[in-house]
Amino acid sequence: MIEWIQPAKRLLQGVLLMSLLSAGAAQAAPIDLIIDTDPGADDVVALLLAMASPDELKIRAITTVAGNVRLDKTSRNARLAREWGGREDIPVYAGAPKPLLRTPIYAANIHGEEGLPGVPVHEPKAGLAKGNAVQYLIDTLGKAKPDSITVAMLGPQTNLALALIQAPEITKGIKEVVVMGGAHFNGGNITPVAEFNLFADPEAAEVVLSSGVKLTYLPLDVTHKVLTSDARLTQLATVNNQASKLVVDILNAYIKTDMDHYGMPGGPVHDASVIAYLLKPELFKGRQIHMQVDSREGPTYGQTIADWHNTLEQPSNVMWIDSADAQGFFDLLSTRLARLK
Ligand code: BDR
Ligand code: CA
């Protein structure tokens, strides 16, 4: 008996190991990613983190939208980030110059007139890709394999909303949309209840929400828990390359307003959490919930209503992330920045 039990056991172990390895190999395939963004200080940190992670993220394109500043500036800043990341191969498509319906709003008070505080800006060598971001989204998602492309939304959701309005069938190509936006537990940052990206185009957020795509939201609930500190800024500075110096200079200028406003010991790096979530979801915790966007005129315009305790007994429509391993985030950011020049 024992003579055949041992080889059979070894065979079983071998089969188990092979299946574990093939599962690991499948997980290791890079995420096919489009980053939609309005750089923006924290957007640039997010872009650098993404560009420093080519093993996990295959960035197909960066699409830009008006948000923190006007579209010409967000598009220039995206191209600057691409230059700093040494990734001029990634096309940058400019998209919507204004929201679907509302009057445009900007956040120069936080991001500076150029949309990039703390560092000098210049006109990057490489230009924009020909064509428009909305058409790019329609063409790319329309032709993609089912459930294959992830869209990271780091600004107002205007581009994807316009694409979905014109070609609703593109949802088929989308694996997941991961949004920085919204606020529930501790209120907003542009009004007492609304977060900037949602307030800047709530109608667009509603279009994306009602399209039925798989959605993950990283709201202020989580980004206000992932704060800089002197020690964490020193950790980033210790990397001591061009990318880390840029990030430290940008963050030092960017975090001041929020620290003063909220009396917090450090500042958030909102959009970079979306990229960190794609790279290391185990750093984050959340819950599948039902969420609504308020687009009625009045004091709750742009508010996200997150039914955390399922009071409405409605089917869930988003994964709402509410907490994170903050030090894990800064460890990830500093080790990845060290890979850039
Ligand atoms: C969000 O608004 C913008 O100002 C930031 O870039 C981030 O996307 C935070 O509310
Ligand atoms: Ca942004």
Side-chain angles (χ1 to χ4, degrees):
M1 281 285 261
I2 292 185
E3 273 161 26
W4 67 263
I5 284 177
Q6 282 308 333
K9 213 171 147 189
R10 271 200 297 276
L11 185 67
L12 193 64
Q13 281 168 344
V15 170
L16 276 172
L17 186 66
M18 296 256 293
S19 57
L20 280 175
L21 282 175
S22 60
Q27 267 178 2
I31 295 171
D32 209 350
L33 182 67
I34 297 171
I35 305 179
D36 190 77
T37 179
D38 63 334
D42 55 326
D43 302 73
V44 167
V45 180
L47 289 169
L48 289 171
L49 177 59
M51 288 186 284
S53 310
D55 291 345
E56 294 102 331
L57 305 178
K58 182 183 153 214
I59 308 172
R60 279 191 178 232
I62 298 168
T63 53
T64 58
V65 66
N68 287 317
V69 282
R70 284 195 332 251
L71 181 68
D72 56 336
K73 293 188 179 181
T74 61
S75 301
R76 180 210 48 210
N77 294 346
R79 290 181 295 124
L80 267 177
R82 175 178 70 167
E83 188 173 287
W84 291 330
R87 291 294 308 275
E88 272 109 334
D89 58 300
I90 301 171
V92 176
Y93 292 89
K98 59 189 178 85
L100 292 189
L101 298 174
R102 67 155 300 148
T103 317
I105 53 152
Y106 304 105
N109 58 326
I110 309 245
H111 296 262
E113 285 304 319
E114 296 303 323
L116 206 41
V119 290
V121 294
H122 62 266
E123 180 60 25
K125 278 184 238 107
L128 285 167
K130 286 208 181 79
N132 181 277
V134 177
Q135 194 58 48
Y136 171 80
L137 288 168
I138 293 173
D139 293 345
T140 308
L141 298 171
K143 278 188 231 134
K145 288 197 195 118
D147 297 329
S148 62
I149 299 189
T150 299
V151 186
M153 306 284 307
L154 311 183
Q157 298 174 41
T158 323
N159 286 337
L160 186 56
L162 285 168
L164 286 165
I165 290 165
Q166 290 177 60
E169 70 281 0
I170 63 173
T171 53
K172 284 204 290 291
I174 298 178
K175 182 176 173 207
E176 183 178 11
V177 177
V178 185
V179 168
M180 191 283 127
H184 178 67
F185 286 105
N186 293 303
N189 59 359
I190 181 84
T191 77
V193 294
E195 179 279 330
F196 177 81
N197 289 338
L198 269 282
F199 186 72
D201 200 345
E203 287 82 8
E206 275 189 315
V207 170
V208 176
L209 184 64
S210 62
S211 74
V213 288
K214 184 178 175 205
L215 261 176
T216 297
Y217 261 68
L218 287 99
L220 298 184
D221 303 353
V222 61
T223 64
H224 277 193
K225 291 176 184 158
V226 183
L227 301 178
T228 61
S229 65
D230 289 348
R232 287 169 179 167
L233 289 168
T234 305
Q235 180 181 3
L236 292 171
T238 306
V239 173
N240 200 25
N241 60 9
Q242 178 192 247
S244 73
K245 283 181 194 153
L246 285 162
V247 166
V248 170
D249 289 347
I250 290 169
L251 288 180
N252 271 326
Y254 174 60
I255 59 180
K256 279 191 207 129
T257 326
D258 273 348
M259 286 170 69
D260 290 349
H261 181 70
Y262 293 101
M264 294 191 299
V269 199
H270 308 285
D271 295 337
S273 285
V274 168
I275 305 300
Y277 175 78
L278 294 174
L279 294 171
K280 281 198 163 202
E282 65 273 21
L283 294 177
F284 296 85
K285 287 205 181 89
R287 206 186 259 191
Q288 280 292 144
I289 61 154
H290 180 76
M291 194 268 275
Q292 293 171 25
V293 179
D294 193 344
S295 59
R296 294 169 303 175
E297 288 212 8
T300 57
Y301 186 68
Q303 181 178 10
T304 44
I305 299 111
D307 190 4
W308 187 250
H309 297 290
N310 197 20
T311 310
L312 299 174
E313 297 184 358
Q314 292 292 314
S316 67
N317 54 4
V318 299
M319 167 60 87
W320 186 267
I321 303 295
D322 75 318
S323 62
D325 171 354
Q327 187 52 46
F329 167 87
F330 283 96
D331 291 346
L332 177 68
L333 181 58
S334 53
T335 52
R336 294 302 162 101
L337 290 179
R339 297 177 178 179
L340 296 175
K341 63 175 184 201

